[in-house]
């Protein structure tokens, strides 16, 4: 009996000795697997992020803002909200703005020099064609959702001679794109307008307060296509010449016959990939930035019933 018990113990010990390496091997394999999964997940996230970053970098946007010299409230508001999301930027003003890239037009501030300012913008843009693909012209009271601009432009080629925006069809044959809503030019369009239009004297360079007219005429002469068909697949707008409250309000669907496209009102006016809104005050800039980038509804309470009523 004692011998049997001893043999049993010995057998059990041997089994333990035999099992121990197997257990270690299993634990080691599990550890390698788990670490490998973590590494793959991390690498996957890094690759995904790198892929997104690469995709974003392929749509390089330089933003140029018409700026009234001395209006620091507007300048600070755009700098602290949307402008930092551009790949590069410059203010265009009658004097240098300290601390910011500025294209200086040495004239007295006036609406009559708006076309001169745009010429200065485009001449600067033409020197940056190897660094950027697209050039946005807008005003310092325009709010831009830069990510949506990149998304829109990702479906187009910067080698195409074209510029996009919101088209007004009321005033001149063929219409023109709203300067306040902003228009964005391909690098090819910039080159043609500057080198074939400005430098040859083909385009009228005299002072004019309606820059959009002069640009539309010049673009047509050098073979640059104006494209105001920037609505989404549901017929909602992307570039807006007024603030959201104007376009949301019934009765403003075509802005009194000025807009080429008649939009809806309330939620049917504006695309969920809207790009710009004009006539935005400095405080409204911060409010829009808050609602778009900071405010988030609690996912835990979405559609939850309130039982404490």
């Amino acid at each position: 009996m004692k011998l049997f018990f001893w043999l049993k113990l010995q057998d059990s010990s041997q089994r333990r000795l035999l099992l121990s390496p197997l257990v270690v091997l299993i634990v080691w394999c599990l550890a390698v697997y788990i670490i490998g999964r973590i590494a793959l997940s991390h690498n996957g996230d890094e690759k995904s992020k790198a892929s997104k970053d690469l995709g974003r970098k392929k749509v390089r946007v330089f933003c140029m803002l018409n700026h009234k010299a001395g209006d620091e409230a507007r300048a600070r508001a755009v700098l602290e909200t949307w402008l930092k999301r551009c790949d590069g930027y410059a203010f265009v003003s009658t004097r240098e703005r300290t601390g910011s890239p500025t294209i200086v037009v040495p004239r007295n501030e006036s609406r009559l020099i708006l076309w001169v300012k745009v010429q200065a913008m485009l001449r600067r843009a033409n020197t940056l064609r190897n660094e950027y693909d697209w050039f946005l012209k807008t005003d310092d009271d325009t709010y831009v959702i830069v990510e949506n601009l990149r998304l829109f432009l990702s479906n187009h080629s910067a080698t195409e001679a074209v510029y996009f925006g919101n088209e007004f069809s009321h005033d001149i044959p063929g219409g023109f794109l709203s300067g306040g809503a902003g228009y964005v030019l391909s690098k090819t369009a910039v080159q043609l307008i500057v080198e074939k239009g400005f430098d040859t004297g083909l385009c009228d360079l005299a002072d004019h307060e309606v820059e959009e007219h002069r640009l539309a005429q010049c673009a047509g002469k050098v073979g640059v296509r104006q494209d105001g068909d920037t609505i989404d697949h549901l017929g909602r707008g992307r570039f807006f010449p007024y603030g959201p409250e104007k376009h949301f309000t019934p009765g403003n669907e075509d802005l009194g016959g000025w807009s080429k496209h008649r939009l809806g009102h309330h939620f049917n006016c504006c695309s969920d990939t809207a790009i710009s809104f004009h006539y935005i005050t400095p405080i409204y800039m911060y409010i829009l930035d808050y609602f778009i980038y900071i405010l988030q509804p609690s996912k835990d309470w979405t559609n939850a019933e309130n039982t404490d009523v």
Side-chain angles (χ1 to χ4, degrees), residues 70-89:
D71 196 332
E72 281 302 296
R74 285 188 181 183
R76 282 195 305 272
V78 293
L79 282 167
E80 293 174 0
T81 57
W82 68 267
L83 191 57
K84 59 191 176 187
R85 300 181 185 109
C86 299
D87 297 293
Y89 72 88

Side-chain angles (χ1 to χ4, degrees), residues 280-297:
I280 305 299
T281 63
I283 191 62
Y284 204 173
M285 291 270 182
Y286 295 105
I287 293 170
L288 284 174
D289 223 55
Y290 168 74
F291 276 113
I292 294 171
Y293 295 97
I294 299 173
L295 178 65
Q296 295 184 16

Side-chain angles (χ1 to χ4, degrees), residues 42-143:
H42 176 72
N43 289 339
D45 290 342
E46 289 297 313
K47 287 178 181 177
S48 176
K49 182 178 183 296
S51 176
K52 287 178 182 177
D53 288 344
L54 181 63
R56 183 184 66 178
K57 288 173 185 175
K58 286 180 180 176
V59 183
R60 301 169 300 174
V61 180
F62 188 82
C63 300
M64 305 174 291
L65 283 77
N66 171 39
H67 172 61
K68 184 178 180 181
D71 196 332
E72 281 302 296
R74 285 188 181 183
R76 282 195 305 272
V78 293
L79 282 167
E80 293 174 0
T81 57
W82 68 267
L83 191 57
K84 59 191 176 187
R85 300 181 185 109
C86 299
D87 297 293
Y89 72 88
F91 289 99
V92 185
S93 186
T94 54
R95 65 173 184 264
E96 191 85 22
R97 184 185 184 276
T98 304
S100 296
T102 313
I103 301 167
V104 178
V105 177
R107 299 277 300 274
N108 292 326
E109 197 71 63
S110 164
R111 286 192 58 83
L112 287 175
I113 65 167
L114 285 176
W115 175 226
V116 176
K117 282 185 172 182
V118 170
Q119 292 172 49
M121 291 181 193
L122 297 182
R123 288 189 183 279
R124 174 65 62 85
N126 197 43
T127 69
L128 300 172
R129 286 184 291 106
N130 292 330
E131 298 175 48
Y132 303 97
D133 306 303
W134 298 89
F135 296 88
L136 175 70
K137 179 274 161 187
T138 190
D139 293 340
D140 59 5
D141 62 344
T142 304
Y143 184 92

